[in-house]
Amino acid sequence: MKSVVFATLTFMFSMLLACSSDAENPNGGEETETEVDRTGNLLSTGASANDILSNARFDRLLIEIAFVEGFRPSPVTMNAFEEFLRENTFKQNIELTYKELPPTGEESLTLTQIDSLEQANRTAYNTGSTLAIYIFFADAPSDGDDLEEGLVTLGAVFRNTSMVIYERTVRTLANRSLSLLISDVETATLNHEFGHLFGLVNLGTVPINDHEDPDAPFHCSENPCLMRAELQFGTSGKAFVQRKHANDVHSSCSLNGLNLIQTMENRVARGIAAAPGLDPECLRDLESNGGRPSTNN
């Protein structure tokens, strides 16, 4: 009897040791938390342009879509976005994951607040042959919005793999339009901002020919183009300047909503697509930096 009890206790003790060993050993089990290397995702906007466009270092693209409850982007938008990526990059292994977040409870959001939310909620980072992108769809407008001056922000990029779409503002402006759908405005905003992660214009991808607008840095001077400099201006004619916040968080682009809506409505009235695509100059730049060759350039 004693031998049976002793054997049972020994078995239980061995199991406890095994569990303790797994918890302490970084390679001991699936539930063990390992330290994540975030350095590759904390670079300046455009720094990962070649990594996104080509398969030289990363052949898989993981995009984490974080959205506040009730502000998930439409399937139409995300399908068009994925098509945009496949058309301009060599990435064919693309995965989009979705993460619902609780309301921020804020009337407006600074980039510093958005950065803090990303640090608290982001789970996707570069690992192995996978390049990770984080896009946050917010339930509050940008803190810099000024409706009287005609400045309403739809989206912004602030790192090499970080972006925010001000989804509440996107929906507000789209719902005021008689000719545009929410997905039209979402798609134009998302693709424009991702164009900057591609390194456009002169933001990590060196232009073949000079087509950067001197009055609106990092934007294209060609017309029509998704990266057109006019998207950087409001109805008052004032340009959106590069916004800087604490902790050196700043946006290389703050896409102006009112002007974008007007541009898209004018295009629809002429019977053409609501948003233009990338012009030949931008397409040539992408190809030179590892992007997929286009038949349009």
Side-chain angles (χ1 to χ4, degrees):
M1 180 66 180
K2 289 183 178 180
S3 62
V4 174
V5 173
F6 180 77
T8 303
L9 291 175
T10 301
F11 176 75
M12 292 176 63
F13 183 66
S14 299
M15 288 295 293
L16 288 173
L17 284 178
C19 292
S20 298
S21 177
D22 285 349
E24 295 172 4
N25 185 351
N27 298 318
E30 294 181 356
E31 296 182 358
T32 301
E33 291 187 6
T34 57
E35 186 173 348
V36 177
D37 182 6
R38 296 176 171 85
T39 55
N41 301 96
L42 298 176
L43 306 176
S44 60
T45 302
S48 294
N50 177 262
D51 289 337
I52 296 173
L53 293 166
S54 74
N55 285 339
R57 291 184 60 204
F58 303 96
D59 60 12
R60 178 172 178 262
L61 191 60
L62 174 61
I63 303 179
E64 184 174 12
I65 307 296
F67 62 94
V68 174
E69 179 183 0
F71 291 90
R72 179 170 178 154
S74 73
V76 173
T77 295
M78 302 317 296
N79 288 337
F81 173 56
E82 189 169 347
E83 182 179 354
F84 176 74
L85 296 177
R86 295 185 187 279
E87 286 179 351
N88 294 289
T89 80
F90 279 100
K91 296 289 189 296
Q92 294 302 301
N93 188 354
I94 301 175
E95 180 183 358
L96 275 62
T97 64
Y98 294 86
K99 183 176 183 179
E100 183 175 285
L101 302 176
T104 62
E106 301 291 340
E107 293 186 1
S108 63
L109 289 167
T110 66
L111 280 179
T112 300
Q113 289 174 307
I114 290 169
D115 177 46
S116 296
L117 287 168
E118 176 175 331
Q119 293 184 43
N121 297 294
R122 180 170 181 166
T123 62
Y125 293 92
N126 297 352
T127 178
S129 62
T130 298
L131 176 65
I133 308 287
Y134 185 85
I135 305 176
F136 175 50
F137 286 77
D139 64 342
S142 168
D143 72 309
D145 283 3
D146 188 339
L147 187 59
E148 293 183 0
E149 290 292 331
L151 299 176
V152 182
T153 313
L154 293 182
V157 287
F158 55 97
R159 284 204 186 94
N160 60 322
T161 62
S162 298
M163 181 193 307
V164 58
I165 304 297
Y166 297 100
E167 182 67 11
R168 179 181 290 277
T169 305
V170 166
R171 296 187 181 193
T172 297
L173 294 187
N175 287 332
R176 291 180 180 179
S177 174
L178 297 177
S179 57
L180 299 176
L181 302 174
I182 291 176
S183 59
D184 291 331
V185 184
E186 282 179 337
T187 300
T189 303
L190 190 56
N191 290 358
H192 175 95
E193 295 302 340
F194 212 91
H196 290 302
L197 297 189
F198 283 161
L200 298 172
V201 173
N202 201 20
L203 190 60
T205 292
V206 179
I208 298 299
N209 301 307
D210 184 15
H211 61 106
E212 180 182 6
D213 192 318
D215 297 321
F218 314 133
H219 288 80
C220 184
S221 59
E222 298 295 302
N223 189 20
C225 181
L226 179 67
M227 308 305 294
R228 175 75 177 168
E230 67 185 18
L231 297 181
Q232 196 71 352
F233 288 83
T235 54
S236 64
K238 295 184 178 180
F240 258 8
V241 297
Q242 186 182 66
R243 293 178 176 173
K244 295 185 178 181
H245 296 269
N247 302 322
D248 198 31
V249 180
H250 65 272
S251 170
S252 298
C253 170
S254 295
L255 183 60
N256 181 259
L258 295 180
N259 194 70
L260 176 62
I261 294 296
Q262 183 178 11
T263 300
M264 294 175 70
E265 287 179 333
N266 290 340
R267 289 177 59 86
V268 170
R270 300 202 311 269
I272 56 179
L278 295 172
D279 78 293
E281 292 293 347
C282 284
L283 292 173
R284 272 191 284 268
D285 294 347
L286 294 186
E287 183 179 351
S288 73
N289 197 22
R292 183 176 294 277
S294 171
T295 58
N296 299 323
N297 60 358

